[in-house]
Amino acid sequence: MATASEFATEPGQLLFTPTERSSILAAVNYRNLDGSSTFFRANVLGRSDLQPNNTNSLNDNYDRDTVFYDAGGGNAADYEQVGLTLTGAYEFDGVTLTSITSYWTSEGSSRGDIDGGFGAVFLPGGGGPGLIPFPSDTQDSLDLEQFTQEIRLASTTDGPLSWQIGGYYFNSDFDVTTVGFDFPPPVTVNQTNDAWALFGQVSYQLTETLRATGGIRYTDDQKDFVVLSGAAPQPRSVGDENVDWDISLFADVGEDASVYAKVANSFRGPTIQGRDVAFFSAPSVAQSENITSYEAGFKTEFADRRVRLNGAVYYYTVSDPQFTAVGGTGNLVQLINANKGEGYGFELDSAFQITPRLLLTLGVAYNNTEIQDAALEVGGCRQCTITDPFRSVNNPDGSVSRFARIDGNPFPNAPEWSGDLTARYGIPVGNSGEFYIFTDWVYLGETNFLLYESREFNAGSRFEGGLKVGYAGNNGQWEVAAFARNITDEDNVLGVVDFNNNTAFVNEPRVVGAMVSFKY
């Protein structure tokens, strides 16, 4: 049975106010994790010997309390992270100058028995559960340094016009080492990212009820990659620059109701994926993607602010959308660009103060996405049932690779329907205490996990809920509570691995615990 320990601090903060107009806020974050990486479960999707007709669900190879791994070193994960942030502000006459400086480091590694089973078909005794073509045991380690700096100047005067201008700088430098135990040999790669931006925003109160806002941002993004050891250097460099913008209108249509509309254009810079070098393939590159979005919505409060109802509809198109094609028979992690992507949907969120003691919140969202590229293919699974059009290629080593066309498929890990529900009931105790009960629930609709579609690598509707019962004293300054996560002990698929067998990983089981917290 795996155990884990984690130590993390809430931001430790120290505030200095040298003068009435100036302030300096220093913050420190620290996290240390000594636990387990993801536990994979071989052939728990689709057909099994005991359920020959079962697809699209966890089959009889799945047992919540049993994990098969004969490698992976216990699937250990060890990470340490430190973050330092310094925020300074000075109030001039009519404007405030703000500087935010941040430095983060992270170092650690995680290892896993990726095939999720034991043995292999060619080893003495075979393997299982189900077909295990070959064992897979890999570890990735990270050594990261990251620095950011933002400076902005914002107006503080009264009047219809408000504005802000500023600049931003980002730098990251990290090494990733991939180790295959027995195969493949260790490889270390380095990636750096330098980006800077200039931005500005103006808001103007056109009438007493109508406000217009416009923003613009120039970004220059540069990334570099090189192999440090274990393979040829294979350097790659990508870069791009772009001007993003947005325009919005916000109108008050009553004392407790408003509507808005927004159109925006933005981009995501090019990027490099180099993990495939460890598996004897070249690093992959995805060029910039460009997104144009349209949104309209409303915000309301009524019944003396005991009811809140907000909603929005949206539509967006993406030119050259970036995707990551993972797995397939080649076990690759490749960046690709599709020709176009499209999405539309709506969101609703609400809150109801049923009584002074009982608060309910409810949210629902619909999100329809589509990849649009008639010629784009990605590598398919070894033993699943691909439902997209695909072609097979015979490799020199005798294996067969399959390539599926993904035109018309949804974005991976993007369910059409999702929702959330919370309820909180509080009972005052004395002048400053409260006994409370809180529950929260999340719903996710049908989800396709990969770029291509198959009978196995998707999930039906899933839900998960939690419960917390506690007492808060001194107006919330301290709290003691008991809690339960996944209280109904649902078995929900969170993701899949397709290159070796029909492997999945699932959510955490029911967890019951206690907590004590203090604010000072």
Side-chain angles (χ1 to χ4, degrees):
M1 179 176 181
T3 61
S5 64
E6 179 175 6
F7 176 78
T9 63
E10 293 293 327
Q13 301 184 11
L14 187 61
L15 177 65
F16 301 91
T17 53
T19 69
E20 292 184 354
R21 290 192 169 201
S22 62
S23 65
I24 301 173
L25 178 65
V28 179
N29 292 264
Y30 176 77
R31 182 189 182 207
N32 186 286
L33 171 67
D34 180 8
S36 301
S37 60
T38 301
F39 285 93
F40 301 98
R41 299 168 183 266
N43 294 308
V44 296
L45 297 173
R47 299 179 178 87
S48 75
D49 294 338
L50 299 178
Q51 290 180 302
N53 298 319
N54 184 29
T55 59
N56 193 32
S57 63
L58 292 166
N59 60 33
D60 283 350
N61 287 328
Y62 173 77
D63 179 2
R64 163 68 82 178
D65 299 323
T66 303
V67 179
F68 296 97
Y69 59 97
D70 54 348
N75 281 37
D78 300 285
Y79 283 95
E80 185 175 32
Q81 178 179 287
V82 179
L84 307 172
T85 302
L86 188 66
T87 303
Y90 190 88
E91 297 180 7
F92 296 92
D93 292 337
V95 296
T96 296
L97 178 65
T98 303
S99 170
I100 305 174
T101 306
S102 183
Y103 175 77
W104 290 81
T105 65
S106 182
E107 186 174 4
S109 65
S110 61
R111 180 178 171 182
D113 184 345
I114 311 301
D115 61 83
F118 61 90
V121 66
F122 61 87
L123 295 175
L131 175 64
I132 310 293
F134 55 88
S136 178
D137 176 8
T138 58
Q139 173 181 284
D140 287 308
S141 62
L142 173 72
D143 187 355
L144 165 73
E145 291 188 5
Q146 180 177 298
F147 173 81
T148 62
Q149 174 65 55
E150 179 176 326
I151 298 177
R152 63 176 183 263
L153 190 67
S155 65
T156 58
T157 55
D158 296 328
L161 178 67
S162 61
W163 54 269
Q164 71 168 344
I165 57 173
Y168 178 78
Y169 174 72
F170 172 88
N171 172 268
S172 72
D173 187 331
F174 64 89
D175 295 341
V176 174
T177 300
T178 299
V179 178
F181 294 88
D182 297 333
F183 179 86
V187 171
T188 299
V189 303
N190 172 264
Q191 290 201 47
T192 60
N193 184 193
D194 277 287
W196 61 275
L198 300 174
F199 58 86
Q201 185 181 67
V202 175
S203 183
Y204 193 83
Q205 195 72 37
L206 299 171
T207 69
E208 290 186 357
T209 60
L210 181 64
R211 182 171 72 251
T213 300
I216 191 169
R217 179 187 180 100
Y218 171 82
T219 302
D220 185 288
D221 192 353
Q222 178 73 38
K223 297 182 177 73
D224 296 283
F225 167 91
V226 67
V227 181
L228 298 180
S229 64
Q234 303 177 67
R236 298 288 190 275
S237 294
V238 295
D240 201 359
E241 54 187 292
N242 197 70
V243 176
D244 302 335
W245 54 267
D246 67 82
I247 301 172
S248 62
L249 290 173
F250 190 92
D252 295 317
V253 294
E255 291 185 0
D256 300 315
S258 59
V259 296
Y260 70 91
K262 180 179 181 180
V263 58
N265 180 267
S266 61
F267 97 122
R268 178 164 59 175
T271 191
I272 306 168
Q273 171 57 256
R275 191 175 186 273
D276 287 349
V277 172
F279 297 90
F280 314 106
S281 294
S284 57
V285 173
Q287 301 303 321
S288 302
E289 68 177 24
N290 193 280
I291 305 172
T292 302
S293 62
Y294 307 86
E295 181 179 344
F298 63 90
K299 300 177 182 293
T300 64
E301 288 183 334
F302 47 92
D304 292 331
R305 297 192 172 181
R306 294 194 303 272
V307 177
R308 183 193 75 229
L309 182 62
N310 301 331
V313 294
Y314 61 86
Y315 170 79
Y316 63 88
T317 60
V318 189
S319 299
D320 303 313
Q322 299 177 3
F323 293 108
T324 302
V326 298
T329 54
N331 186 24
L332 300 179
V333 182
Q334 293 185 319
L335 295 172
I336 60 173
N337 288 103
N339 182 48
K340 185 179 178 182
E342 184 180 73
Y344 61 87
F346 68 84
E347 298 176 346
L348 292 171
D349 73 85
S350 58
F352 306 90
Q353 192 74 56
I354 306 298
T355 72
R357 297 181 180 182
L358 177 61
L359 174 66
L360 301 179
T361 69
L362 175 65
V364 63
Y366 173 78
N367 181 36
N368 185 293
T369 60
E370 184 179 56
I371 300 169
Q372 299 176 350
D373 192 326
L376 185 59
E377 294 181 330
V378 298
C381 54
R382 176 180 294 270
Q383 62 187 57
C384 73
T385 309
I386 299 175
T387 56
D388 288 324
F390 70 91
R391 61 185 177 91
S392 298
V393 176
N394 295 319
N395 300 316
D397 62 1
S399 64
V400 177
S401 296
R402 299 193 291 178
F403 296 90
R405 291 189 179 182
I406 62 173
D407 182 47
N409 289 352
F411 295 177
N413 293 294
E416 286 192 353
W417 289 98
S418 61
D420 60 84
L421 170 70
T422 73
R424 188 183 190 278
Y425 188 82
I427 302 174
V429 179
N431 295 325
S432 62
E434 182 189 40
F435 173 80
Y436 66 88
I437 301 175
F438 174 80
T439 184
D440 62 311
W441 297 82
V442 175
Y443 167 84
L444 295 175
E446 295 180 358
T447 304
N448 191 58
F449 291 113
L450 303 172
L451 287 168
Y452 65 88
E453 292 187 316
S454 67
R455 292 182 182 176
E456 292 84 3
F457 292 120
N458 53 81
S461 301
R462 296 150 289 161
F463 70 91
E464 188 171 314
L467 180 67
K468 186 177 180 182
V469 180
Y471 178 83
N474 195 20
N475 295 314
Q477 292 301 301
W478 63 270
E479 179 181 346
V480 58
F483 65 88
R485 303 305 310 164
N486 190 14
I487 192 170
T488 56
D489 203 24
E490 300 299 314
D491 297 299
N492 293 327
V493 177
L494 298 182
V496 300
V497 179
D498 71 333
F499 81 93
N500 193 347
N501 55 72
N502 295 344
T503 292
F505 50 95
V506 300
N507 62 330
E508 294 291 329
R510 181 191 294 118
V511 176
V512 178
M515 59 164 286
V516 178
S517 64
F518 300 91
K519 296 179 182 179
Y520 55 91

